[in-house]
Amino acid sequence: MLRWKASCRTCRLRVAVHIGNEPENRCRRSAAVYDHHVRILSVVGARPQFVKLAPVAEAVVAAGHEHVIVHTGQHYDPALSDVFFSGLGIPRPDVRLEVGSGGHGAQTGAMLERLDAVLERYRPDWVLVYGDTNSTLAGALSAVKLGIPAAHLEAGLRSFNRRMPEEHNRVLTDHACDLLLAPTQEAVRHLADEGLAGRTVLVGDVMVDACLRARDLVEQARTAVLATSAEGVDPGLPFVVATVHRPQNTDDPARLAAIVDALAALPVQVALLAHPRLTARAEASGIDLRRGAIRVSTPLPYAQTVAAVLGSAGVVTDSGGLQKEAYLLGRVCTTLRTETEWPETLEDGWNVLLPFTEPGSAAALAALATRPAPDNPPGRPYGDGKAAVRAIEALERARTAAAG
């Protein structure tokens, strides 16, 4: 079965060189032997990782390397998984671990148990992990314990909130990995402060690659600003896009009720893209999401999410990815947290932190959600949209240096 392509250095013919399970390293036209390809195994499992995977997968193909995609199954709902592979043009996963949901320990342990056999089978030159999920940590640990080089894309992010599982995943992954692909100068500084400067390369943020490409496609196609699945939202009237899924906001029934009450009372429509966690916690706590200003939708495919943000008056979220996408798309964001791993978004008030811990939080949200955009346009701290190419080049250089 055809897995990947590479270019022969002698005749420059792009030929299939991976048949079945073993690579064929001799060009069928020139008979020249070549070994410049890199076998990269990506471990992904959650919605934000699929978005990051899209530009990386394209960069791997453009560079002529082999790419093995392992889907852990951390997010298994089709609205959070399959729709992103089809909508972003990502190749189907080569391996599905199908771990499903569960507690952090059980889920991470199940991934480790199944990943070991996969990595032994493929023996990649690099295991590439993304972001800050349990899939990220499991991929890194499995690789380093088997003596396989591991690289972390989006390394060096820190919220400094040790109550967040994602923060532990970030720190542990960075200290385990051999190569740290940092998205920002701030991330580089964090890694240097932790003694990891020697493993760090600044490549930029691959989410910029994906977000700007989706923005351009939406604008060129004049895509509707909001998918019809956002029931009851009139795109001709002002609306905000909202998501809530963090445990600190969903697991406390009183806090979740206060957030939903505040969203329902906003003076504009609220397109609530309801994560399965939010739906389950609201139902268990007897909280009605479909009331007042709120219009509930299932999570949207990525391009439709970008279109919704572009058509909105602002974003209300506790998501790390969406607050940054709002910044990149020039929309104000109100983040329902005490901290952010993307401090650059706070510049000039594009993003404002609003933890729902004080009695006046609802009134503050009403004032912040539809505030006007700052006078100063967003900066470009996350790069120019070519981070994926730089990341693959960094893997190539590191492999060449190790071989030499």
Side-chain angles (χ1 to χ4, degrees):
M1 182 171 61
L2 176 62
R3 291 284 190 181
W4 53 283
K5 294 183 177 181
S7 298
C8 172
R9 290 179 174 176
T10 302
C11 67
R12 300 299 176 187
L13 174 69
R14 292 185 66 79
V15 292
V17 295
H18 192 282
I19 308 297
N21 291 325
E22 294 301 327
E24 177 183 324
N25 66 346
R26 186 179 298 275
C27 176
R28 295 176 181 177
R29 174 180 290 182
S30 68
V33 175
Y34 47 90
D35 59 1
H36 63 290
H37 70 270
V38 181
R39 181 182 288 186
I40 300 166
L41 186 146
S42 286
V43 178
V44 294
R47 175 194 181 278
Q49 295 169 326
F50 307 145
V51 178
K52 298 174 185 115
L53 174 63
V56 170
E58 184 174 304
V60 173
V61 170
H65 301 313
E66 178 185 4
H67 196 197
V68 178
I69 299 174
V70 177
H71 187 335
T72 66
Q74 181 172 341
H75 279 176
Y76 52 88
D77 187 302
L80 295 175
S81 177
D82 295 348
V83 70
F84 287 89
F85 281 83
S86 58
L88 295 171
I90 306 170
R92 292 180 180 180
D94 297 273
V95 178
R96 290 182 180 268
L97 302 183
E98 299 181 342
V99 298
S101 58
H104 291 293
Q107 189 180 66
T108 306
M111 292 176 190
L112 282 168
E113 181 180 9
R114 301 177 195 188
L115 275 169
D116 283 357
V118 173
L119 298 192
E120 289 280 20
R121 172 187 171 193
Y122 283 97
R123 274 289 161 180
D125 298 295
W126 284 105
V127 170
L128 182 60
V129 297
Y130 302 65
D132 55 19
T133 72
N134 291 340
S135 300
T136 311
L137 180 59
L141 288 177
S142 181
V144 297
K145 285 179 177 293
L146 292 172
I148 299 172
H152 184 200
L153 190 65
E154 206 176 78
L157 297 187
R158 298 291 183 267
S159 69
F160 300 103
N161 181 353
R162 289 181 57 81
R163 292 172 298 173
M164 292 178 62
E166 295 86 352
E167 185 73 357
H168 296 289
N169 290 341
R170 294 176 191 128
V171 175
L172 292 169
T173 299
D174 283 339
H175 283 262
C177 281
D178 304 276
L179 181 62
L180 305 176
L181 304 171
T184 65
Q185 289 286 358
E186 184 74 7
V188 171
R189 284 192 287 273
H190 291 158
L191 294 168
D193 289 344
E194 296 174 22
L196 301 174
R199 307 183 208 170
T200 301
V201 178
L202 176 64
V203 298
D205 186 354
V206 293
M207 286 293 287
V208 177
D209 304 24
C211 185
L212 298 187
R213 180 175 304 176
R215 177 203 65 187
D216 293 344
L217 290 174
V218 166
E219 292 178 344
Q220 291 168 12
R222 298 182 180 179
T223 302
V225 294
L226 191 64
T228 55
S229 57
E231 180 183 344
V233 172
D234 181 351
L237 297 175
F239 66 89
V240 297
V241 174
T243 69
V244 182
H245 78 279
R246 296 279 179 186
Q248 59 264 40
N249 287 329
T250 58
D251 290 359
D252 180 342
R255 181 180 292 191
L256 179 57
I259 291 172
V260 173
D261 287 346
L263 291 173
L266 288 180
V268 298
Q269 304 170 99
V270 178
L272 178 60
L273 311 184
H275 188 283
R277 182 187 189 90
L278 170 62
T279 303
R281 295 294 188 271
E283 183 177 348
S285 301
I287 298 171
D288 182 11
L289 298 177
R290 299 179 182 273
R291 56 195 171 90
I294 299 174
R295 310 292 185 264
V296 177
S297 167
T298 56
L300 300 175
Y302 188 67
Q304 290 178 351
T305 301
V306 169
V309 173
L310 283 171
S312 75
V315 171
V316 178
T317 188
D318 57 10
S319 162
L322 190 55
Q323 60 181 284
K324 183 176 55 179
E325 287 156 355
Y327 181 82
L328 295 172
L329 297 170
R331 297 297 181 269
V332 295
C333 183
T334 305
T335 298
L336 306 179
R337 288 169 50 186
T338 59
E339 75 298 308
T340 177
E341 54 271 41
W342 302 106
E344 300 85 0
T345 64
L346 302 175
E347 291 292 327
D348 297 315
W350 280 100
N351 187 16
V352 174
L353 301 177
L354 179 62
F356 252 70
T357 55
E358 302 297 332
S361 297
L365 180 61
L368 288 170
T370 58
R371 67 190 184 277
D375 293 332
N376 293 328
R380 293 181 61 183
Y382 303 117
D384 57 4
K386 299 179 181 178
V389 172
R390 294 192 186 94
I392 300 308
E393 290 173 346
L395 295 178
E396 292 171 341
R397 290 195 301 270
R399 180 176 180 270
T400 299

